[in-house]
Amino acid sequence: MKKKLLSLWLVAAVTVSLAACGGRETAKKDDSGIAVPTIDAINGDDYKDLKADITILTNRTDIVDDVYKGYADEFHKLYPNITVTYEGITDYAESVTLRLTNGDWGDICFIPDTVEKSEFSNYFIPLGDYEKLNEIYNFVTEKTYGSTVYGVPNGGTAGGVAYNKKVWKEAGALREDADGNAILPKTPDEFLDALELIKKNTSVEAALYTNFAAGWPMGAWNDYVGIASTADPDYKNNRLLHTKDPFTKNDEMSGPYAVYYTLYEAVARKLVEEDPASSDWESSKSKINSGEIATMVLGSWCVQQFKDAGENKDDIGYMPFPITVDGKQAASSGGNYAYAINKESSADNQIASMLYVKWLIEDSTIFADEGSIPAKKGEPLPDALAEFESVELLSDNAPLEGEDSLYDDIRMKAEVLSGDTPVTEVVEAALYGTKKLDELMGEWNEKWASAQESEGAEIQYNADGSSAEGADGADSSAE
C-alpha cells in the first residue's frame, strides 16, 4: 500500500550550494526590493543570531494554544532570538481576506481561497521558483503564479468520506469480503442506499452530517468535482474551463453533476441532520467519534481530528468518494492551506518567517500529528489512507501556459465552485423543495457559460468529454 502510494511523488535529492563568499547571495528580491533567501536556498546556520518577533495566523483555534504553541517553543530552542506567536481566527477565510488589504496582519498566514492567483504578489513574497520547489515539495502548483511559488502547503489531503465504521457495520451498510476487507459503496446510489440503512437501523442524529451552519465544511464538496468525479488529473485546471455545460448529468453518473446529486438526494431523503441550520462543527467531531453521527464528507485532514475527539479512535474510517469512472475509482490529493509570508513585514521578520515555515514542513512533527500527507516529497503517507488500496491517487495537473488564473477567474465570476455559498444552494433547494437538481445545475451551466464568455475561454469539449467541434454553438471562442 505505502509503496504504491509513494510512487506518486518524486523523491527529491536536493543539494544547496551556497556562494563561497558568504551564502546569502542566493537571496531573491521580491517586488518590494527586499532581498530574502528563497525557501530552498535559505541556510539556518546563517541566521542563528537573527532577532525577530513573528506572528502566524491560523484557522486551528482548537489547538492554537497548546499544540501549535509547542511547535513555536521547539523552534525557539533552535533560534533563541526569534519568537513565534500564533493567532487563532474564527471565520478564518473571511476575516483574513479583509485583513490582507491593509498589510498589517502579521507575518505568516494560510492563504485564503478567496485570494486569486493573480493577486498573490500584492500580499506575499516569493518563496522560490516553481521548477525547483516542485522537485522538493508536494502540491506547490496550487499556489504558483507564472513561475513563482507564493505558498507551500501545510501538508496535504486526499479527497474522501469520513465515517464511523462501527455504526456502518451495525446498520448493515458495511460488508466485508472473505479476507475481512470492507466492501464500500462505489457509486452515488450505493452510497445513498447505505445511508438509508443507517437511518433505518440505527438511532444516529444524522446518517450524513452536512455541517451546514459552519459554512466552510460545505465548500469541501467542490473538491470532488475534479479527479474524484472524473478520474482525470487534467479536468479541473484544463478541461473544465473549456467544457460546454459541465454540470450536465451523464449516463455513467460521474462528473460534477454526480457530486451534487449525492448531496441533494441525501438532504431530500432526510438522511442528514434534522435542522442543518443548527449544526455545529466543534461538537460534530466528538459526535462522529461516539457514533451519534455516521458520516461526513471532508478531506482526509479531518480523520486525526475525529480520532482525537473521543475514546473511539479505532471506529473512525475514511473511504473514497463514491463515484466510479470506467470501472475505477480515483481520489484527488491536494494541499491543505498554504503558508505565505507577508510582503509588508520587515526584512528580518520575512527571513525569520521563511526559517519557521521551512522548519515546520521539513523538521517538525506536524504531519504525523495531523495525519496529513507531508509537504516534502518522499515522506511516508498517513495511515488514514489505508482503505484507498485499489484507488488511484492523483494530483491536478498544472494549468496550460497562459491560463494560470483562468480557473479562479471563471469560478469567481460564475460564483460556482467558489467557497460554500453555491453548495448551500444545493442543500436549501433539496431541504425546502424549491428547485429540482436539474434546474439548479442548469442555472450553474448558464453562469459558467457566461463566465467563460467573459474570460474568452474557448469551448473545446462537451459535458460527456467528447470534442465540441461541430456541436451546436461549439468550436468557437466565446465572444
Side-chain angles (χ1 to χ4, degrees):
M1 156 68 182
K2 189 170 289 184
K3 183 176 180 181
K4 174 186 175 185
L5 290 179
L6 282 173
S7 66
L8 296 171
W9 287 273
L10 295 175
V11 179
V14 179
T15 301
V16 177
S17 177
L18 298 176
C21 60
R24 299 193 187 185
E25 291 184 10
T26 54
K28 177 178 180 179
K29 287 188 177 182
D30 67 13
D31 292 341
S32 66
I34 297 174
V36 180
T38 55
I39 196 168
D40 56 309
I42 195 167
N43 185 341
D45 290 338
D46 291 339
Y47 300 101
K48 289 297 185 181
D49 296 327
L50 180 68
K51 294 181 179 181
D53 294 318
I54 60 175
T55 299
I56 177 170
L57 310 184
T58 179
N59 63 320
R60 293 299 305 274
T61 56
D62 53 333
I63 59 174
V64 65
D65 295 326
D66 44 30
V67 177
Y68 280 7
K69 183 180 183 299
Y71 299 142
D73 290 344
E74 286 299 310
F75 180 77
H76 188 66
K77 294 176 183 178
L78 300 174
Y79 299 91
N81 298 315
I82 300 177
T83 300
V84 178
T85 302
Y86 276 90
E87 180 184 347
I89 298 178
T90 305
D91 298 326
Y92 182 86
E94 180 178 353
S95 297
V96 175
T97 300
L98 293 173
R99 290 173 64 172
L100 286 178
T101 57
N102 66 21
D104 185 22
W105 50 264
D107 303 285
I108 306 171
C109 76
F110 293 144
I111 301 177
D113 291 340
T114 51
V115 179
E116 299 183 26
K117 289 187 175 184
S118 59
E119 299 176 342
F120 286 167
S121 63
N122 295 339
Y123 308 117
F124 314 120
I125 68 170
L127 300 186
D129 178 74
Y130 172 77
E131 293 299 329
K132 290 183 178 179
L133 297 193
N134 191 46
E135 293 180 354
I136 305 171
Y137 304 118
N138 292 312
F139 316 124
V140 293
T141 299
E142 299 170 14
K143 300 305 177 186
T144 295
Y145 186 70
S147 61
T148 301
V149 177
Y150 290 91
V152 175
N154 175 29
T157 64
V161 180
Y163 71 109
N164 186 296
K165 292 184 285 187
K166 182 178 180 181
V167 172
W168 272 63
K169 191 169 184 178
E170 290 178 349
L174 181 66
R175 298 173 293 117
E176 295 180 345
D177 62 20
D179 297 323
N181 299 314
I183 301 175
L184 298 165
K186 294 185 177 182
T187 68
D189 285 326
E190 288 179 2
F191 182 72
L192 291 164
D193 288 345
L195 298 182
E196 295 270 17
L197 286 173
I198 293 168
K199 179 181 179 181
K200 177 182 177 182
N201 297 331
T202 73
S203 58
V204 296
E205 177 181 327
L208 175 68
Y209 198 75
T210 68
N211 257 306
F212 179 89
W216 62 264
M218 299 296 298
W221 288 84
N222 297 328
D223 296 336
Y224 300 90
V225 163
I227 289 168
S229 73
T230 66
D232 181 3
D234 272 322
Y235 186 77
K236 177 181 172 182
N237 287 329
N238 297 311
R239 296 179 68 91
L240 173 61
L241 312 180
H242 301 284
T243 293
K244 178 182 174 66
D245 298 337
F247 300 98
T248 302
K249 181 179 179 180
N250 63 36
D251 293 338
E252 191 177 32
M253 191 53 79
S254 62
Y257 182 98
V259 174
Y260 300 109
Y261 166 85
T262 306
L263 175 60
Y264 185 97
E265 285 297 308
V267 176
R269 299 182 196 184
K270 302 187 184 305
L271 304 175
V272 301
E273 59 266 41
E274 184 175 356
D275 180 15
S278 64
S279 58
D280 177 69
W281 162 245
E282 288 299 332
S283 65
S284 73
K285 292 187 281 188
S286 60
K287 286 182 177 181
I288 193 171
N289 184 286
S290 65
E292 297 171 71
I293 291 171
T295 321
M296 282 195 265
V297 174
L298 290 167
S300 61
W301 58 265
C302 73
V303 174
Q304 194 60 47
Q305 291 192 43
F306 294 167
K307 286 179 177 289
D308 292 341
E311 299 178 353
N312 307 296
K313 65 178 182 179
D314 292 338
D315 290 343
I316 303 299
Y318 196 71
M319 70 174 77
F321 195 83
I323 291 180
T324 299
V325 182
D326 295 331
K328 68 178 182 180
Q329 284 184 282
S332 62
S333 61
N336 297 330
Y337 269 132
Y339 295 111
I341 297 172
N342 192 348
K343 180 179 179 178
E344 302 301 327
S345 294
S346 69
D348 283 349
N349 277 25
Q350 289 178 353
I351 292 170
S353 297
M354 193 78 77
L355 291 169
Y356 188 57
V357 170
K358 186 180 181 75
W359 177 82
L360 273 176
I361 61 181
E362 293 192 5
D363 299 314
S364 78
T365 61
I366 191 168
F367 305 119
D369 295 341
E370 298 188 354
S372 59
I373 299 171
K376 192 172 183 181
K377 292 186 175 182
E379 297 296 313
L381 297 176
D383 293 337
L385 301 180
E387 292 174 348
F388 284 58
E389 179 70 41
S390 61
V391 176
E392 191 170 10
L393 194 60
L394 303 168
S395 294
D396 293 312
N397 288 338
L400 298 173
E401 185 176 355
E403 294 188 353
D404 300 82
S405 64
L406 187 57
Y407 173 75
D408 283 343
D409 294 341
I410 291 178
R411 72 185 178 97
M412 293 292 191
K413 189 157 290 185
E415 297 182 332
V416 172
L417 301 181
S418 178
D420 59 278
T421 302
V423 189
T424 62
E425 291 181 358
V426 177
V427 174
E428 291 169 346
L431 187 65
Y432 304 116
T434 53
K435 292 179 183 177
K436 297 292 186 183
L437 181 62
D438 286 1
E439 180 183 357
L440 183 58
M441 293 296 100
E443 293 176 1
W444 287 18
N445 277 331
E446 291 177 4
K447 291 179 179 179
W448 196 258
S450 178
Q452 286 174 313
E453 181 177 3
S454 177
E455 296 299 325
E458 181 182 4
I459 304 302
Q460 300 173 356
Y461 310 102
N462 294 312
D464 62 3
S466 63
S467 172
E469 185 175 358
D472 183 25
D475 192 29
S476 63
S477 298
E479 297 177 354

